[in-house]
Amino acid sequence: MLCLTSCLILALTTSSSVLKVNYNGLPQKLIYDGHGALSAGASSRLLFDYEEPYRSQILDYLFLPKFGASLHMIKVEIGGDSQSTDGIEGSHMHNRDDLDCNRGYEWWLLEEARARNPKIVTSVLSWAVPLWVGNDNFYSQDNIDYQIKWLECSKLHHSIGNIDYIGLWNERSWENSTDYVKNLRSSMDAAGFKQTFIILPDSFGGYDDTLTPFLDEDAEFRSALKGGGVGTHYPCDDPHPEVQQEYGLKYVSSEDWSTVSDWAGAGCWGRILSQNFVRMKMTSTIAWSLIWSVYEDFPYFGNGLMYAMKPWSGFYEVNDAIWTSAHHTQFSEVGWEFVDNGSGYLSEGGSYVSMVDPKTNDFSIIIEKLHGDCLRCPGPGSTEGEVVTIKLSAKLARNLVVGTLSAWRTTSKTSFAQLQDGEVQIQIHDATITLEIEPDTITTLSTTTGAQKGSFDSAPIPPDSPFSLPYKSDFEEFYNRSVPKYFADNGGSFELAPSSSSGGQVLFQAVLDPPVNNAWVPDCEPITVIGENSTLWNEKVAVRALVKVWGRGSDNAKGGKEYGGVCLHVKFQDDADGQNGLTMQRGHCLRVGAGGESWEITQWDRVLLSGGNDSGSGREDGFDELELRFKEGNLVGLVGGEEVGQVMIEPDDEKARGGKAALVSGWNHAEFDDFSVMTI
């Protein structure tokens, strides 16, 4: 057999069959584009708040080559000041005249990933954009300019460099907007982003058939996608070979997994990394989410390769999904070749994928029989064990020298362990490798070196501990325009900013006009929460709030009052109709109106008490001191240190049990300072 490039012949022998597969490296070969994970929907929010060395340890487990997950790609959300699953990610442009290239934490995360792996592939996507963009019209030149501003921030103000891929709109119709795609391509070219390629449409549930006629008939549209391609979410089993073979584009799973990261979830992840190629020839798979770093009661709990929900303690969890990732990513690099005919299904269940380095002929073979169900794509239920014999071609057999082949395995009991002599039989004379593959396992054979199960024995993970009270903040701890420590936005956009009145730094609610058409889902009024769900019966929360009559913005703003306030007992609850999952309920709040002229005590947004503020409590700097106490069922509101109202809450009222503290406002600018929450 004449081998022009890397050549591999596999024979998988079981008790029932022998499978021979040839690979000769002809041009139809598919190139590995990198497996990775997605930081979006505020899923990485609390990671930013971890102290060293634990924050760096977490990042090493995710991105450091040949250490943990060793991800080859990172994808992040372009924040849009609007709800995107588990919170709000702030926009770099709250309005047309605003631009801040340090806002939020995604640029920081990209920098950290790049520092650990300079070769890491980067991708970005919008869930929402502010209302002012295109006058609430997503597919507009305004939005193209807005997206390019984000790319410029990445390139010019951060050590990230060029972004490799950009999408359109997460899981929303692309509206057959070929002109938008063409204009995006030409505008990026003109702005110096010729090497940023377009992935579309990021549709939910597989391939979007509306693409086909435009790919068939519009050469300019196909050209605009050159270097990029078609990305789908949770495709399960939706092959479209024409994407690669006829259109010359990539076909990738641009969001997948979204499953609780227990052993079953780790099995799901390891399996789809292999079977997305076996089933659909997808050359990249991206997990949502990179890390579950939001409060525990938020929607879609646990959908992260790692868990990091306790920044105040430093506690985090290295889940098995890190190690089922490593079976792929520690033994390959972007640019390796998939061995198309060296990949397939095993006769007793499971799959195998072969990859080759075209420069060195190093190879890796991943064999999995993983059972775990995914949230959206079912698993196999069960598999049977079998003995597998792999026969290598002469060209690759040259790499098969005793001691150069390593074998690694992960099971439900042992993660990423190197197999010992005797567990793998190598016959040099006929270039065969024989080993037993057990059910619900993943195994990698590779001629590469350097793989390891990384750890930090000298600085172990600290024990878990609850969010402790009292907690106080004057909002001076982080840099201007970044996120405040431990606060998580679920409406509006709160950021650290210079005070307009008092000097120093405050927490500023910035959004006047929430998007409507440009939103991913409808927004609730601005709210940012802090802490774990307290079960305490006696506690209080306090803040200084400044609510000026700045105006409500455009006529498109949602109705409501201008106010700022503090809350207790905020939590997620099941919707009454059971159709929309979890909804954030605001618990009990004390709110003050613009100029401090009025106050309200509310329960789940229903006004319990209200009145005017005749005490003249406002300081010369315009701030009002707000305090909400809850003791033995008695809810008391104080403004400027003076009681304005109280109401008794029944002990069995679920609205008074559990929940977080929060700061709230209407769709208006508001400033907050000197926050505290404590027991009484």
Side-chain angles (χ1 to χ4, degrees), residues 92-272:
H92 57 295
M93 298 180 72
H94 293 316
N95 56 66
R96 191 179 301 277
D97 298 321
D98 171 56
L99 175 64
D100 194 289
C101 294
N102 290 311
R103 195 167 279 143
Y105 44 87
E106 299 294 9
W107 281 310
W108 164 81
L109 186 57
L110 286 169
E111 286 182 313
E112 294 292 335
R114 179 74 78 198
R116 286 162 174 79
N117 180 4
K119 297 180 181 179
I120 199 164
V121 178
T122 55
S123 182
V124 298
L125 176 66
S126 285
W127 267 242
V129 298
L131 180 140
W132 67 266
V133 175
N135 192 26
D136 212 21
N137 175 20
F138 191 93
Y139 294 110
S140 59
Q141 184 61 45
D142 233 6
N143 194 24
I144 290 172
D145 297 340
Y146 172 85
Q147 304 284 326
I148 288 175
K149 285 292 186 184
W150 196 96
L151 295 177
E152 289 174 344
C153 283
S154 300
K155 190 172 184 178
L156 301 177
H157 296 271
H158 296 276
S159 54
I160 298 167
N162 188 72
I163 297 295
D164 296 296
Y165 299 103
I166 188 170
L168 302 186
W169 195 359
N170 179 68
E171 294 177 359
R172 293 297 177 261
S173 172
W174 74 292
E175 298 180 8
N176 301 340
S177 51
T178 57
D179 286 343
Y180 178 88
V181 174
K182 296 172 191 177
N183 291 338
L184 176 61
R185 177 72 275 157
S186 61
S187 296
M188 287 196 300
D189 290 349
F193 296 102
K194 292 184 178 180
Q195 295 304 306
T196 299
F197 304 113
I198 300 171
I199 297 288
L200 86 174
D202 285 290
S203 54
F204 184 87
Y207 182 82
D208 185 341
D209 291 326
T210 64
L211 286 170
T212 301
F214 298 100
L215 290 170
D216 283 337
E217 299 168 10
D218 191 334
E220 186 181 356
F221 176 58
R222 288 197 306 274
S223 178
L225 296 177
K226 186 177 179 180
V230 175
T232 73
H233 293 189
Y234 311 97
C236 297
D237 189 3
D238 195 7
H240 280 270
E242 72 277 9
V243 173
Q244 294 148 325
Q245 295 174 8
E246 297 179 24
Y247 309 137
L249 302 175
K250 300 180 187 300
Y251 191 40
V252 299
S253 181
S254 50
E255 182 181 323
D256 217 318
W257 190 50
S258 186
T259 300
V260 173
S261 194
D262 53 13
W263 170 245
C268 157
W269 176 235
R271 183 179 65 254
I272 62 177

Side-chain angles (χ1 to χ4, degrees), residues 249-321:
L249 302 175
K250 300 180 187 300
Y251 191 40
V252 299
S253 181
S254 50
E255 182 181 323
D256 217 318
W257 190 50
S258 186
T259 300
V260 173
S261 194
D262 53 13
W263 170 245
C268 157
W269 176 235
R271 183 179 65 254
I272 62 177
L273 288 177
S274 289
Q275 293 199 16
N276 278 357
F277 180 79
V278 172
R279 294 172 178 172
M280 299 172 282
K281 299 299 181 283
M282 287 183 159
T283 55
S284 173
T285 295
I286 299 173
W288 186 75
S289 63
L290 172 72
I291 188 166
W292 191 251
S293 199
V294 297
Y295 288 115
E296 289 185 79
D297 60 323
F298 281 23
Y300 296 100
F301 168 79
N303 294 359
L305 300 180
M306 287 181 67
Y307 291 167
M309 300 171 277
K310 307 292 182 71
W312 47 85
S313 68
F315 176 75
Y316 63 90
E317 297 177 73
V318 184
N319 298 325
D320 284 330

